[in-house]
Amino acid sequence: MKMLEVRGLGHTYRGKDGTHTAIDGLEFTVDPGELVCVVGPSGCGKSTLLRTISGLIKPTRGSVSLHGNPVDGVPSDLSVVFQDYSRSLFPWLSVTKNVEFPLRKLTRRNRTTRAAEALAAVGLDGAGRKYPWQLSGGMQQRVAIARALAYRPSLLLMDEPFASVDAQTRFELEDLLLRVRREQDTTVLLVTHDIDESVYLGDRVLVLSKSPATVVADLDVPLGQHRDQITTRSSDAFVDLRARVAGLLTSAPARVR
Amino acid sequence: MSLIGLACFFAVWEVASRTDLVPGYYLRPPSAVLPRVVTLLGETGFQRALVATVLATLIALGIAIAVAVPAGLVLGSVPPVRHAVMTLVEFLRPIPSVALIPLAVVTIGTGPDTKIVLAVFGALWPILFNTMYALDEIDPLHTETARAFGTGGFGVLRRVALPSAAPFVFTGVRLSFAIALAVVVSTELFSGGTVGIGQFVLEASAGGLNMDDVLAGTVIAGLVGLGANFGLEWLHRRLFAWSLPRGGER
Ligand SMILES: Nc1ncnc2c1ncn2[C@@H]1O[C@H](COP(=O)(O)OP(=O)(O)OP(=O)(O)O)[C@@H](O)[C@H]1O
Ligand SMILES: [Mg+2]
């Protein structure tokens, strides 16, 4: 069974100044355990796609299914790392309490252990008592990731999770993601506008067109399980694939309406 | 630092009463009034008045919080109710509590209930409006984050809306304390009937025009407001450090 099935998915925002079709007729599936990257031009509807999958907004057309069950409302075994992570942490809660936020159904003791494990996994063992606004951007992003991981979702949705950290931190966080997803066998759908990142992280790369987004290409990434920031990125397979994605992105036709 | 303004005020007052700008008999200088403040605070009769006034203020503030916070939450989160009620609210809000004293005296009498009811009426609005607008200011991303982790409507209210609104609500409470105190003292002053600082001032001005006592009573009312404000601001910084720029670090 597919982990995620997206069929004919379309969404039109209705505002005071008319309507805006953000995504249209999206079709793809994700298998359990896969890490699928979604790339697309700025404003093409990537965040909208994640918001419909997570049940935060109801799509105007098409359907989303998780484990074969149609999504209607927020599914219980999914977590999201939002694009604007600094605003998605709760400033009135300590780092630990932020990570424990989704774990309300567990006993207090389990909650504490889970949060501590997740914080250790992202290298923030010592920061639990701090508040989000006392941390650097990269650390805040780790907290958001720890919170999503502590929830142990079967599907992890990430919206440009590494967009606003420096290159060094970004490499660390990418490898962190690869490691925990191997360890926890999580299925990940990750949105990025960075072509290199999509190829480095993904088992597959979905290339979206300009707004309204449709799937232009669905590419397998033949780089194997184990990746390394230096050797993988300089391998021929990586360079070829990156060029293909870049070509698809620049030539992606804006749909004639 | 923050006391410089107060010191200047007393200095100007001293000068004004020593020159012939105003009749010295009525505006007694602080050098006469402030010692009277100290002796007054030692007199049981006055202590009783002070406690009565502060207690009435606190009761009124408590009732105002109990009414205005839930009302603000409803008005802030249920638009139809807001539309239905806002005109009434905007009509009632500008009415000064003091203008309601005659009506309140006729309907409720001159007991302590009267000053409490009037103070509640005055103290409601800052708390109500701050609660209501705090809900508008909630970061939608906080709500979405909570929802994405399976938090339901009531959970979002309790775990996101309330904590993020709390600092604004608290600011409303701080503003309301001063209003409640002023209304309590005014009501005591205008309607007589109950023990309190206002009544003390009223009697001092009636029985032989004892201006030292009148002014000392007034100064003490001001000091109560000042102390409460200091205390509440301190509590605000402690409880809601997260809501201040850079956590309130200086
Ligand atoms: N709530 C909304 N109401 C109306 N229009 C919206 C809303 N949210 C997004 N849009 C519009 O939908 C389009 C797609 O937005 P979306 O945020 O999904 O794009 P994106 O691909 O995530 O962009 P970015 O790369 O900048 O993150 C944009 O043109 C945006 O203006
Ligand atoms: Mg986006």
Side-chain angles (χ1 to χ4, degrees), chain A residues 11 16 18 35 51 57 74 77 115 128 214 216 223 232 250 256:
Chain A
H11 188 74
K16 290 189 191 76
L35 196 166
R51 285 153 57 87
I57 52 179
V74 179
D77 55 351
T214 51
V216 178
L223 293 173
T232 305
T250 43
V256 186

Side-chain angles (χ1 to χ4, degrees), chain A residues 51 87 89 91 101 104 133, chain B residues 139 142 144 149 159 242:
Chain A
R51 285 153 57 87
R87 277 172 51 221
L89 297 175
F101 186 91
R104 201 173 20 116
W133 37 268
Chain B
D139 193 329
H142 286 154
E144 285 205 336
F149 286 118
R159 303 177 75 203
W242 63 265

Side-chain angles (χ1 to χ4, degrees), chain A residues 47 83 159-160:
Chain A
S47 297
Q83 184 166 6
D159 196 353
E160 305 201 19

Side-chain angles (χ1 to χ4, degrees), chain B residues 81-124:
Chain B
V81 178
R82 187 162 172 167
H83 284 301
V85 181
M86 272 326 270
T87 318
L88 175 64
V89 169
E90 292 294 359
F91 166 71
L92 291 176
R93 183 167 69 128
I95 300 177
S97 299
V98 179
L100 295 175
I101 291 177
L103 180 66
V105 168
V106 175
T107 51
I108 315 175
T110 55
D113 322 0
T114 312
K115 61 187 179 189
I116 292 173
V117 167
L118 290 173
V120 168
F121 179 81
L124 276 179

Side-chain angles (χ1 to χ4, degrees), chain A residues 212-255:
Chain A
T214 51
V215 178
V216 178
D218 184 344
L219 307 168
D220 278 318
V221 181
L223 293 173
Q225 276 282 319
H226 288 272
R227 310 203 179 171
D228 176 89
Q229 294 286 1
I230 311 291
T231 53
T232 305
R233 283 179 191 263
S234 51
S235 70
D236 290 343
F238 182 92
V239 175
D240 284 353
L241 198 55
R242 186 183 65 180
R244 266 184 77 194
V245 175
L248 283 162
L249 268 179
T250 43
S251 67
R255 292 226 316 185

Side-chain angles (χ1 to χ4, degrees), chain A residues 13 20 22 41-49 51 83 160 193 211:
Chain A
Y13 287 107
H20 178 87
S42 183
C44 77
K46 303 181 293 295
S47 297
T48 306
L49 168 64
R51 285 153 57 87
Q83 184 166 6
E160 305 201 19
H193 59 233
S211 182

